[in-house]
Amino acid sequence: MTNAPLTRQLDLFEALPPASEGVDLEFKAARGGLPGSFWETYSAMANTEGGLIVLGVAQRGGALAWEGVPDPAQLRTTLWNQINDRHKVSTNLLTHADVTSWERDGRQFVSVQVPRAKREQRPIYIGANPLTGTYRRAEDGDYHCSSDEVRRLLADQNASDPADARVLDQFGLADLDADTLRQYRNRFASRTPDHPWLSEDDAGLLLKLGGLRRDRTTGGLGLTVAGVLMFGSFDALREAMPSYHVDYREKLAADPAVRWTHRIHADGTFAPNLFQFYQRVRQGLGADIKLPLPASIAWRVQRVGAPISCANAAPPSSPPPSPARSTSARRRRPARAHQGAPTA
């Protein structure tokens, strides 16, 4: 079929400078059928901002050559067969309205309008492996995504349902440390005594904080990853996240053979959830340091990072003198802090 608006649009293409391709426009010759490079551009546009692929236009010596395609119907059939083959490309984003055949000056052309993929659909990739078949679009062509870029796209798929909001099967209120939850309530009340959430029971408060979620299908309640990280007991943390580890080390000695002079870690003397760990590290930092901190010590603490939050201060123009006290903290599997209530 013909498309008059598209034909008029393509009349304007001839007036463009020779290097007329852009981030949302690609011309491809198709004398031998659907070109293999079509799928790289399809992936790249879908993972970027979408765009238009015009089949039947070659580039020769920096100029556009409007050659046409020999058999538009066969080309369209090939396109639909391949785009619905999961071994060829991961997802079909096209509708029939996105693929248009049209005629100009006695030649046949096919245009494909590639929509931008939704966040939960990205990455759109070629073949069976997203790490090797994902492309992105830049101003002058298609570029293979690095493994880090692909992993970010995969992580963004579930941004509306973050990893720490996942409900843990078979975990309930009995897996929380009662002292931690009580202390959190006390700190919350001291900060905002009239907050309406304080009238809730433990389950109600955890629902508000995101530590507990309700299954809309079954109506049951389940602890989230964030709930166990923030309030979990020693056993619950060990069972739910075997690789979870918190470790604070203080080194006061100048002797390099002394690895630390004070350490806070999961040694069995307290529930090593993030709330309890933060409380202990905070007390250790403030126990014998005069406030305000000397500039050299404050800068060093900001650089290495506190367990829950860290000031992103720029370093001074010249390195500070070596402080008499150095701190370090290490934490794996971080949890988000709820913005509507205090974390400490």
Side-chain angles (χ1 to χ4, degrees):
M1 66 180 174
T2 60
N3 188 310
L6 181 58
T7 302
R8 288 195 296 272
Q9 181 184 23
L10 289 168
D11 287 338
L12 299 176
F13 291 162
E14 290 189 316
L16 295 173
S20 56
E21 290 184 337
V23 68
D24 59 354
L25 177 62
E26 176 82 9
F27 296 107
K28 291 186 181 295
R31 293 183 298 273
L34 187 67
S37 64
F38 173 89
W39 297 111
E40 295 176 3
T41 303
Y42 172 81
S43 167
M45 286 183 169
N47 289 324
T48 313
E49 296 295 333
L52 180 67
I53 304 174
V54 182
L55 299 170
V57 184
Q59 291 200 27
R60 294 177 182 169
L64 299 177
W66 301 83
E67 301 175 336
V69 299
D71 190 342
Q74 181 59 45
L75 188 148
R76 288 163 62 99
T77 299
T78 301
L79 188 153
W80 287 116
N81 287 340
Q82 292 188 12
I83 202 169
N84 289 299
D85 181 358
R86 294 289 77 82
H87 296 288
K88 185 67 177 181
V89 64
S90 61
T91 305
N92 174 15
L93 299 174
L94 303 181
T95 66
H96 284 282
D98 295 320
V99 182
T100 307
S101 297
W102 47 278
E103 181 180 338
R104 183 176 184 277
D105 295 336
R107 297 184 178 93
Q108 300 290 325
F109 299 86
V110 175
S111 294
V112 181
Q113 184 68 52
V114 181
R116 185 189 185 197
K118 297 178 181 178
R119 171 184 45 75
E120 58 269 20
Q121 294 173 317
R122 296 193 295 268
I124 304 299
Y125 56 92
I126 303 169
N129 189 349
L131 295 177
T132 59
T134 301
Y135 292 80
R136 60 179 174 81
R137 188 77 176 166
E139 188 63 32
D140 54 351
D142 308 320
Y143 290 85
H144 194 271
C145 288
S146 67
S147 57
D148 286 341
E149 289 174 317
V150 176
R151 290 187 180 97
R152 283 195 293 270
L153 289 172
L154 291 169
D156 287 344
Q157 286 181 342
N158 298 316
S160 61
D161 191 17
D164 60 5
R166 178 171 58 88
V167 174
L168 295 168
D169 293 336
Q170 307 301 319
F171 281 78
L173 294 178
D175 293 297
L176 301 181
D177 181 65
D179 289 339
T180 298
L181 196 54
R182 176 178 51 79
Q183 292 169 26
Y184 180 88
R185 274 188 176 275
N186 291 339
R187 293 190 65 85
F188 194 171
S190 66
R191 174 177 171 176
T192 316
D194 298 326
H195 200 289
W197 291 2
L198 293 171
S199 62
E200 301 278 355
D201 60 12
D202 286 349
L205 178 61
L206 287 165
L207 278 169
K208 300 291 188 184
L209 294 172
L212 198 67
R213 288 183 68 182
R214 186 182 303 280
D215 188 318
R216 295 290 183 180
T217 303
T218 65
L221 293 175
L223 277 182
T224 64
V225 172
V228 174
L229 283 170
M230 191 69 173
F231 303 112
S233 66
F234 183 96
D235 290 338
L237 285 163
R238 183 173 57 183
E239 293 174 22
M241 287 155 282
S243 60
Y244 171 81
H245 180 70
V246 286
D247 197 352
Y248 167 86
R249 302 180 189 186
E250 206 171 78
K251 183 176 180 180
L252 301 178
D255 185 354
V258 179
R259 297 179 61 191
W260 64 81
T261 52
H262 178 55
R263 185 183 184 190
I264 301 172
H265 63 110
D267 60 357
T269 60
F270 69 100
N273 55 58
L274 295 181
F275 183 84
Q276 293 293 350
F277 179 71
Y278 174 78
Q279 294 289 86
R280 282 161 173 74
V281 172
R282 183 172 177 269
Q283 292 169 4
L285 287 174
D288 56 352
I289 297 180
K290 294 181 180 180
L291 298 177
L293 291 174
S296 61
I297 298 178
W299 179 75
R300 182 66 173 273
V301 171
Q302 289 168 353
R303 282 184 64 210
V304 300
I308 300 297
S309 62
C310 173
N312 294 318
S317 56
S318 60
S322 300
R325 177 188 182 97
S326 68
T327 65
S328 65
R330 182 178 61 183
R331 185 189 65 185
R332 299 176 188 167
R333 304 287 180 115
R336 295 183 307 155
H338 194 281
Q339 295 180 355
T343 57

